Amino acid sequence: MHSQASAAAEKAAAVVAPYGSWESPISAAAVSAAGRTVEGLAVAGDGRLLWVETRPEEGGRAVLVKEVADPGGDAVDVTPQGFAVRSLAQEYGGGAFAVQGDVVVFSNFSDQRLYKQTIGDNSLQPLTPDYAGSVVRYADGVFDPHFCRYVTIMEDHRKDSSNPLTTIAAVTISNGDVNEPTAVVSGNDFYAFPRIDPIEKRMAWIEWSNPNMSWDKAQLWVGYFSEKGEVQNKICIAGGDPTLVESPTEPKWSSKGELFFITDRQSGFWNIYKWDEKSNIIVQLYSLDAEFSKPMWIFGVSSYGFLGKDDTSHKIICCYRQNGRSCAGVMDYDSGSFSELDIPFSSVTNIVSGDGFFYVEGASATLPVSIAKVTLDKKRKTATDFSIVWSSSEDVMQYVSYFSFPEFMEFPTVVPGQQAYAYFYAPHNHIFQGSSDEKPPLLVRTHGGPTDEARGVLDLGVQYWTSRGWAFVDVNYGGSTGYGRKFRERLLGQWGVVDVNDCCSCATFLVETGRVDAQRLCVTGESAGGFTTLACLAFRQIFKAGNKQAYFERSPINFVDRFACPIILFQGLEDTVVSPDQATKIYKAIKDKGLPVALVEYEGEQHGFRKAENIKFTLEQQMLFFARLVGHFKVADDTTPFKIDNFDESSLHYVWKLYI
């Protein structure tokens, strides 16, 4: 009752001002400062956490850091200046380091070579040859305890840059020399998760073939090492039955040599299984219509781990996603019991385990992306302590009175009886409110992938808009992950159709329920979401303006005559996933048609922007672009807009390029 009374008093005291014009302390600079991300977790030999964090203020540099012994102390950098821990394998990278005891092997961004380092010692030993042009890349590696080597995914671009050769390769780490890696598994198009049994000389891995993605159809194999370390006597554990479509992922060996993995056979939901080697069958540990893993866009995903020293507890700590919410839980793989843990995160993405505790990457509506250490009781069923080890935005709570909290919603699609999902954020600012005769403008965000998902967590990039008087909606269109294979496969052969229909249906639903202004609907997206954004603008007339960040593979440029609203484009000039010339073609075609359009190109940026100054500039210019061409209101921020072709007279025949 007190909170309701406080909210009523706050609203009564709020100043009435046009939506979109509200003043907010959540600046674009604050958003870029909160843009640090996590790219991999592991536990060192002393039980403390290692993780890779990206730093926009250092040009997006990825640094390996280590938790300190004293709780609350600042983490210590492991990576020396001049190096960055980042793989470019499959362009999206991930899985850029591994640790054994106090020794780390990592992939260095600038040359993509593997280096060996002892934690606390800044002298590095290169392990792989220096190939000019970073043409050989490594990811998802592990230490091999049987042959004193490092086993890793190797992606070789030397013969064909557009169709590189991918193998599982072994790298010598003991003699101090630089040696050419030796392929131990080859012949298929893609590999991931090479994982070595600590007891017997054998290895598990995932492989798949074109034209499949790993979440469409894959196989889990086990191969036995010869005395020379070669892989022989291979067995297909899952994915080999032609009558059964499944996508096994994340194989892991227990300390006792038992093989566990995740697959989505029969139910269509990724659940945890165990391989019974004696009978050569696989056994499901616990059945739940929930996703215990996710599509492998990047290497190094870790959705579960073994609790207790030497796995004596027979318990697995895991994370899963169900009905728009993700949780952490404990599974007893002897009894088959399962219990959810009560922790503050409503979105959990990666987990690594220790003895009676685990580390988890997650977030919630009130917590930004963070890493927490969770301690369990003796029975391993209840969380007794939850402490934040790292936060992407440590001072975020100073803005709490400006926060809009996500509302999980279902909405009808164009298919009768079918639903899709979204997180809706209403405009909120404790100082301002809109007038009773005005509806707010809406920004629809289309996530990337396209099999990624929106998660409804605290994101200052969302609050930047809502605290200024915009409504914001993150759409989980058909094809998004988190809702099972059937929902994900709505997009098979229908990319550019189902996603577009669902985003338009979501906007229409919010208009029809009286929550937003039908004349001020905007859409934004990056990567695959950029394709969806442009497809929405080319093939539908619902939206009034669009923002495309990065780019896409299937271009609506062939239908440029259907564009009928302003568009702003942001492009990284070093993007190898989506080439910059596609943005230029779209820009020129829209400009020639006479529509307002702008193109901003960033030197030194790849697929997804990492530099603080570019994140800040992009956000500010999106807001100004929408305000000037759609919202018809003056923004409160003192920001100079760049010129828009076919809108600002002085900008005709002028391509605006930003070099930072």
Side-chain angles (χ1 to χ4, degrees):
M1 292 297 293
H2 175 72
S3 61
Q4 292 178 353
S6 298
E10 184 179 280
K11 184 174 182 180
V15 176
V16 176
Y19 287 110
S21 69
W22 303 350
E23 294 181 11
S24 170
I26 304 176
S27 64
V31 175
S32 65
R36 292 190 173 198
T37 60
V38 179
E39 295 187 346
L41 309 173
V43 177
D46 61 4
R48 284 185 275 156
L49 185 69
L50 290 168
W51 69 93
V52 174
E53 71 172 36
T54 63
R55 297 175 176 172
E57 72 276 14
E58 295 184 29
R61 177 172 172 250
V63 181
L64 185 64
V65 295
K66 186 179 181 183
E67 175 191 18
V68 293
D70 297 329
D74 293 333
V76 177
D77 286 5
V78 174
T79 308
Q81 286 293 329
F83 291 84
V85 182
R86 181 183 171 196
S87 171
L88 291 176
Q90 292 188 6
E91 303 301 338
Y92 293 93
F97 82 99
V99 61
Q100 178 177 269
D102 64 349
V103 176
V104 170
V105 171
F106 71 91
S107 176
N108 183 49
F109 173 61
S110 61
D111 57 13
Q112 291 296 289
R113 298 176 74 183
L114 290 178
Y115 289 82
K116 178 183 174 182
Q117 178 188 8
T118 298
I119 297 173
D121 184 352
N122 285 343
S123 60
L124 306 180
Q125 176 194 337
L127 298 176
T128 53
D130 186 6
Y131 307 105
S134 302
V135 293
V136 179
R137 305 164 183 180
Y138 309 91
D140 210 9
V142 292
F143 288 84
D144 183 348
H146 306 296
F147 297 97
C148 196
R149 60 186 181 178
Y150 190 73
V151 176
T152 178
I153 303 300
M154 185 172 103
E155 185 179 275
D156 191 342
H157 293 247
R158 284 177 291 182
K159 291 185 178 179
D160 188 346
S161 60
S162 62
N163 188 29
L165 176 66
T166 302
T167 60
I168 300 176
V171 178
T172 301
I173 60 174
S174 59
N175 58 15
D177 296 331
V178 173
N179 296 292
E180 186 78 22
T182 303
V184 293
V185 178
S186 61
N188 213 331
D189 296 319
F190 303 101
Y191 296 94
F193 296 108
R195 299 296 183 260
I196 297 172
D197 183 349
I199 304 299
E200 295 189 38
K201 294 180 179 179
R202 56 184 178 178
M203 176 177 70
W205 69 89
I206 300 293
E207 64 178 63
W208 67 100
S209 310
N210 278 321
N212 294 311
M213 302 296 277
S214 63
W215 53 87
D216 294 327
K217 190 174 183 180
Q219 294 179 334
L220 167 63
W221 287 79
V222 168
Y224 293 80
F225 292 130
S226 68
E227 291 304 313
K228 295 182 179 180
E230 300 167 337
V231 172
Q232 57 187 16
N233 300 328
K234 297 188 294 184
I235 302 172
C236 184
I237 306 301
D241 184 346
T243 66
L244 188 66
V245 177
E246 62 178 321
S247 299
T249 185
E250 295 195 57
K252 292 186 179 183
W253 299 94
S254 73
S255 63
K256 298 178 181 178
E258 302 165 302
L259 179 62
F260 296 80
F261 63 99
I262 297 174
T263 192
D264 61 345
R265 58 170 50 194
Q266 297 176 335
S267 72
F269 287 91
W270 274 309
N271 281 200
I272 302 178
Y273 287 74
K274 178 183 176 182
W275 176 43
D276 184 331
E277 184 179 7
K278 291 182 179 180
S279 58
N280 194 27
I281 61 172
I282 66 173
V283 180
Q284 187 174 19
L285 301 189
Y286 188 83
S287 178
L288 190 67
D289 286 350
E291 300 279 48
F292 284 78
S293 189
K294 57 189 175 183
M296 199 206 76
W297 279 102
I298 62 171
F299 291 106
V301 172
S302 180
S303 303
Y304 70 102
F306 305 104
L307 283 172
K309 189 175 182 180
D310 299 326
D311 310 330
T312 53
S313 70
H314 293 183
K315 287 182 171 60
I316 288 174
I317 179 66
C318 54
C319 57
Y320 64 97
R321 192 148 183 87
Q322 184 179 43
N323 300 326
R325 174 176 171 265
S326 60
C327 310
V330 176
M331 185 180 297
D332 187 316
Y333 56 84
D334 274 353
S335 68
S337 64
F338 180 78
S339 57
E340 181 183 329
L341 292 175
D342 183 13
I343 61 174
F345 287 154
S346 61
S347 174
V348 180
T349 49
N350 284 298
I351 280 180
V352 292
S353 57
D355 186 10
F357 64 90
F358 64 93
Y359 294 95
V360 56
E361 177 191 351
S364 73
T366 56
L367 289 171
V369 173
S370 308
I371 303 172
K373 182 178 181 179
V374 183
T375 304
L376 301 174
D377 65 349
K378 292 182 178 181
K379 293 183 178 181
R380 310 288 198 262
K381 289 187 175 181
T382 304
T384 58
D385 185 66
F386 178 93
S387 58
I388 299 294
V389 174
W390 174 90
S391 172
S392 59
S393 181
E394 295 178 353
D395 59 353
V396 70
M397 294 312 293
Q398 66 179 301
Y399 307 119
V400 67
S401 60
Y402 295 87
F403 287 168
S404 173
F405 298 109
E407 173 192 335
F408 180 70
M409 55 178 254
E410 297 184 12
F411 60 90
T413 71
V414 296
V415 178
Q418 188 182 83
Q419 305 289 310
Y421 310 95
Y423 292 95
F424 176 72
Y425 301 79
H428 178 76
N429 183 315
H430 71 285
I431 297 175
F432 296 96
Q433 63 178 320
S435 65
S436 59
D437 60 352
E438 182 190 13
K439 300 292 183 184
L442 172 69
L443 183 59
V444 176
R445 183 162 69 179
T446 62
H447 63 68
T451 55
D452 202 348
E453 66 171 316
R455 286 182 168 261
V457 297
L458 181 55
D459 177 357
L460 287 189
V462 173
Q463 305 300 327
Y464 176 83
W465 295 89
T466 57
S467 65
R468 285 166 172 75
W470 281 74
F472 192 103
V473 67
D474 250 342
V475 183
N476 277 327
Y477 49 77
S480 305
T481 194
Y483 303 90
R485 177 183 280 268
K486 186 176 180 181
F487 187 86
R488 195 170 65 248
E489 289 186 343
R490 288 184 189 178
L491 208 60
L492 280 180
Q494 296 294 306
W495 190 22
V497 179
V498 169
D499 50 334
V500 170
N501 285 340
D502 287 357
C503 287
C504 293
S505 294
C506 183
T508 300
F509 176 77
L510 290 170
V511 169
E512 291 176 347
T513 52
R515 308 188 74 170
V516 299
D517 185 348
Q519 300 306 311
R520 293 188 291 177
L521 304 178
C522 300
V523 60
T524 185
E526 58 181 284
S527 188
F531 166 75
T532 301
T533 295
L534 286 172
C536 285
L537 299 176
F539 307 125
R540 301 290 187 275
Q541 301 301 314
I542 289 178
F543 297 102
K544 305 302 179 183
N547 154 238
K548 167 63 190 71
Q549 186 174 326
Y551 238 60
F552 53 89
E553 282 96 11
R554 288 166 50 185
S555 175
I557 192 170
N558 296 325
F559 305 94
V560 70
D561 57 304
R562 300 189 185 183
F563 284 104
C565 66
I567 297 176
I568 185 169
L569 306 155
F570 298 88
Q571 175 70 42
L573 290 176
E574 293 184 9
D575 191 340
T576 56
V577 177
V578 179
S579 60
D581 68 306
Q582 296 192 45
T584 303
K585 290 177 182 178
I586 288 285
Y587 160 77
K588 289 180 177 178
I590 295 172
K591 179 184 173 184
D592 290 346
K593 192 182 179 185
L595 291 171
V597 64
L599 170 64
V600 179
E601 296 176 305
Y602 293 122
E603 287 279 6
E605 290 284 17
Q606 298 173 312
H607 195 67
F609 303 155
R610 286 174 170 254
K611 298 181 179 180
E613 60 269 31
N614 296 343
I615 296 170
K616 175 179 179 291
F617 189 86
T618 299
L619 196 55
E620 290 174 337
Q621 296 306 325
Q622 286 181 55
M623 176 68 75
L624 283 171
F625 184 86
F626 289 144
R628 296 175 69 201
L629 283 95
V630 178
H632 308 301
F633 50 77
K634 180 178 173 59
V635 298
D637 305 271
D638 184 16
T639 306
T640 302
F642 60 83
K643 296 174 182 178
I644 302 168
D645 287 287
N646 299 329
F647 183 78
D648 296 318
E649 291 183 358
S650 59
S651 69
L652 295 177
H653 312 297
Y654 181 80
V655 179
W656 209 95
K657 293 188 179 182
L658 182 68
Y659 296 101
I660 296 180

